[in-house]
Amino acid sequence: MTDEARKPASDEARGVFAIPLTLGAPGGGDGDSSTTSEFALPEGLAPPRALTEESETTSEFALPVGLDVPQPPGGDIEGSAFSTPLTYRAPAFTPPTGIPVVSLTKDVPWQDRMRTMLRMPVAERPAPERSHKVAEEGGPAVPRVLDLTLRIGELLLAGGEGAEDVEAAMFAVCRSYALDRCEPTVTFTLLSISYQPSLVEDPVTASRTVRRRGTDYTRLAAVYRLVDDLSDVDTATSLEEAYRRLAEIRRNRHPYPGWGLTVAAGLLAGAASVLVGGDLLVFVAAALGAMLGDRLAWLCAGRGLPEFYQFTVAAMPPAAIGVALTAAHVDVKASAVITGGLFALLPGRALVAGVQDGLTGFYITASARLLEVMYFFVGIVVGVLLILYFGVKLGAELNPDAALGSAVRPLWQISASMLLSLTFAVMLQQERSTVLIVTLNGGVAWSVYGAMHYTGDFSPVASTAVAAGLVGLFGQLLSRYRFASALPYTTAAIGPLLPGSATYFGLLSIAQNDIDAGLVSLSKAAALAMAIAIGVNLGSEISRLFLRVPSGSAGGRRAAKRTRGF
């Protein structure tokens, strides 16, 4: 085969889109035929640049011709999935639909403002305002801000604050130092917070474990004042100043001494015994039993015993004194003595916090809190049942119906309820400025309960729920007025409503082998406890429902933890 015969084949071997080297008219008369195709360039059109040079491999992600290629700051061009792209220029992104207008006015508490922010998606949250502390320091130190946030959240959670309020406080601290892309997470024993500077930078995460809890509402109020000052844009509180104030809060002594707490426990038990029909002798006996149980519990705590055994030991002296008075044939209502001793031990604070977490969507924390309440309650049951069982074996005639026919004494019962709330506030280590208010709130709660139950003949569960709802409403209004936590205004006020008598009668029936009646009475006690917790939370939500709170322009006030899209 000649060379002329091979030449077209070699040209076609280069590809179906081969372009001839010489361009002429179709069927030209030079004698040398050229191979053309429908993709050939027309006569007079300059060939593209890619065809005049060597072929190169490109992709759809290649930079266009004429665009400057940004150079990396260092020699290493490799990065991670979170590294900033080379072509990235903008400091932040704006959602395509825009950012909704959120009214974060300063005349509402920071709790409402931060709760509104937390219930919004991250992409819709407005940027934090520029504050003096950030402008002076030239920018926040992210690890130290996160550490301060976790320490503040630890004090709040250890003091019994609800999970949503703890998250709001942590978010307020971060935003006060211009860390807007923060996501706090609160569980029963673990606090964590994550901060991402931008959508393309590595996130920073820190966590802290809450290992010890203590009831001190004075310290809780001081932490709230610190968060209030930090969230105020006009207040120049530096990071070092915040650490100093936090250290002072931790070092502060309790406002009431240990012997004062013991006396308060005795007066609380005596006042509770008067509520269920006791007289002066019953008051003294219940007070002595509660004080002895409190000292034994302190002794067990000093030896490192768990709280379960502390509650068990603390429940034994009031029950023992009541059984001893009955065995000695003293004309006294032993049921009132034992019931008064139980009032000082019932974990009403933990119950309200657990139900509140469940209603606001923090189900893991709520389950843990309610499980803790159950263990405390079982400890009280074990302590009282042991004494009642031995008392029945020794011949003590304890009558479950002894206190059911007690006369209604409005003035005595209102006075006793106010004394109970006052002593409960002392045991919670509240500030002296809040003791009088919570005492009046407790008297109002019992007055509403007595008017509905004794005068209006309503069921005790409904009466308790309404009275607890008023306690929650007044407590939330007072906390909004003082920009503080609502716990000091609500926890002690619900003391007169705690189901002490229903608990005792249920335990006594079980000790006398009347299981059915005992379970019915304990079920009533559980229903009363749930009515208290739900009523307090509902009263707080009603105050937020009708009062002005920050909201977005499109969605209004968002619900907490929406699970079904409502």
Side-chain angles (χ1 to χ4, degrees):
M1 182 180 292
T2 63
D3 294 339
E4 289 78 3
R6 287 194 196 94
K7 189 173 182 180
S10 61
D11 290 337
E12 293 177 359
R14 297 176 186 176
V16 295
F17 304 113
I19 298 175
L21 297 179
T22 59
L23 298 175
D30 336 341
D32 291 334
S33 63
S34 60
T35 303
T36 61
S37 70
E38 57 193 79
F39 298 100
L41 291 175
E43 182 180 1
L45 183 64
R49 178 172 171 266
L51 297 178
T52 60
E53 299 177 357
E54 296 291 334
S55 62
E56 56 183 14
T57 304
T58 60
S59 69
E60 56 185 358
F61 299 101
L63 291 175
V65 179
L67 182 64
D68 294 334
V69 180
Q71 299 296 329
D76 188 9
I77 61 174
E78 294 184 359
S80 65
F82 297 98
S83 61
T84 306
L86 299 180
T87 57
Y88 182 75
R89 287 290 185 270
F93 293 106
T94 302
T97 57
I99 299 177
V101 178
V102 180
S103 176
L104 297 178
T105 56
K106 298 179 182 179
D107 56 345
V108 295
W110 60 265
Q111 298 97 309
D112 290 336
R113 288 185 277 134
M114 295 303 108
R115 189 179 291 109
T116 301
M117 298 291 294
L118 282 174
R119 294 180 180 181
M120 296 174 61
V122 178
E124 299 180 6
R125 296 173 185 169
E129 300 180 19
R130 191 72 174 174
S131 61
H132 297 292
K133 44 184 170 290
V134 177
E136 293 176 0
E137 297 177 2
V142 174
R144 298 203 67 194
V145 172
L146 297 184
D147 178 71
L148 176 68
T149 303
L150 291 174
R151 291 178 183 271
I152 290 177
E154 178 190 11
L155 286 179
L156 294 177
L157 187 62
E161 192 62 84
E164 187 179 27
D165 293 326
V166 176
E167 281 195 358
M170 296 172 64
F171 191 72
V173 175
C174 288
R175 283 187 63 86
S176 65
Y177 291 99
L179 305 185
D180 55 333
R181 291 183 176 274
C182 286
E183 285 298 329
T185 303
V186 177
T187 58
F188 186 58
T189 58
L190 182 65
L191 297 170
S192 63
I193 187 166
S194 177
Y195 168 67
Q196 190 172 8
S198 66
L199 295 177
V200 293
E201 294 187 53
D202 297 340
V204 181
T205 304
S207 62
R208 193 173 184 88
T209 302
V210 180
R211 302 186 183 277
R212 185 176 179 84
R213 289 175 171 79
T215 304
D216 189 344
Y217 283 178
T218 300
R219 179 179 298 173
L220 189 71
V223 175
Y224 263 74
R225 285 193 292 270
L226 173 59
V227 178
D228 186 27
D229 291 340
L230 291 177
S231 59
D232 189 359
V233 181
D234 300 329
T235 303
T237 305
S238 63
L239 195 61
E240 298 300 330
E241 176 67 16
Y243 265 107
R244 185 190 63 79
R245 290 180 57 179
L246 187 62
E248 289 180 354
I249 293 173
R250 286 181 173 273
R251 289 195 300 264
N252 280 348
R253 300 175 62 89
H254 298 302
Y256 307 103
W259 63 266
L261 299 181
T262 302
V263 173
L267 294 177
L268 189 152
S273 65
V274 174
L275 282 178
V276 294
D279 52 12
L280 180 60
L281 182 59
V282 172
F283 181 93
V284 175
L288 290 177
M291 288 190 290
L292 181 58
D294 183 78
R295 285 292 91 190
L296 289 178
W298 277 98
L299 180 62
C300 293
R303 294 291 184 267
L305 290 179
E307 283 186 306
F308 177 85
Y309 301 106
Q310 297 175 26
F311 275 82
T312 301
V313 171
M316 288 183 177
I321 291 178
V323 171
L325 292 176
T326 303
H329 302 287
V330 179
D331 188 13
V332 67
K333 291 183 178 180
S335 58
V337 175
I338 301 175
T339 299
L342 293 180
F343 263 83
L345 300 176
L346 293 177
R349 172 182 58 88
L351 175 66
V352 172
V355 174
Q356 179 182 357
D357 289 342
L359 294 176
T360 52
F362 294 85
Y363 301 114
I364 297 178
T365 307
S367 301
R369 288 186 188 271
L370 294 178
L371 184 62
E372 181 188 41
V373 170
M374 187 191 73
Y375 271 101
F376 291 163
F377 190 77
V378 170
I380 297 172
V381 168
V382 171
V384 175
L385 275 181
L386 287 175
I387 300 300
L388 293 180
Y389 179 78
F390 285 109
V392 171
K393 291 297 182 182
L394 293 176
E397 297 180 358
L398 298 171
N399 185 9
D401 300 326
L404 295 180
S406 59
V408 178
R409 302 170 297 175
L411 295 180
W412 280 98
Q413 290 177 332
I414 293 175
S415 301
S417 64
M418 296 177 66
L419 178 61
L420 193 152
S421 298
L422 187 148
T423 53
F424 203 173
V426 173
M427 293 183 64
L428 293 174
Q429 302 280 2
Q430 290 190 197
E431 292 181 304
R432 290 178 173 86
S433 60
T434 63
V435 171
L436 178 60
I437 298 176
V438 77
T439 300
L440 296 176
N441 201 7
V444 171
W446 180 261
S447 299
V448 173
Y449 172 80
M452 293 186 62
H453 179 55
Y454 296 114
T455 305
D457 200 19
F458 286 88
S459 67
V461 176
S463 304
T464 300
V466 173
L470 288 178
V471 168
L473 178 61
F474 293 157
Q476 189 65 32
L477 292 176
L478 290 171
S479 67
R480 290 174 61 89
Y481 174 73
R482 297 197 172 193
F483 285 62
S485 172
L487 286 181
Y489 303 101
T490 58
T491 304
I494 64 173
L497 304 176
L498 294 175
S501 58
T503 303
Y504 163 69
F505 292 138
L507 299 179
L508 180 58
S509 298
I510 293 176
Q512 294 178 343
N513 293 326
D514 192 356
I515 306 298
D516 294 337
L519 292 179
V520 170
S521 186
L522 290 180
S523 300
K524 178 183 176 181
L528 291 173
M530 292 297 294
I532 293 173
I534 296 176
V536 170
N537 181 263
L538 184 59
S540 300
E541 291 297 328
I542 287 176
S543 68
R544 299 192 187 103
L545 185 63
F546 292 101
L547 296 178
R548 186 168 62 89
V549 295
S551 61
S553 60
R557 180 174 181 264
R558 296 177 182 266
K561 302 291 184 182
R562 303 195 317 173
T563 57
R564 297 184 62 186
F566 296 133

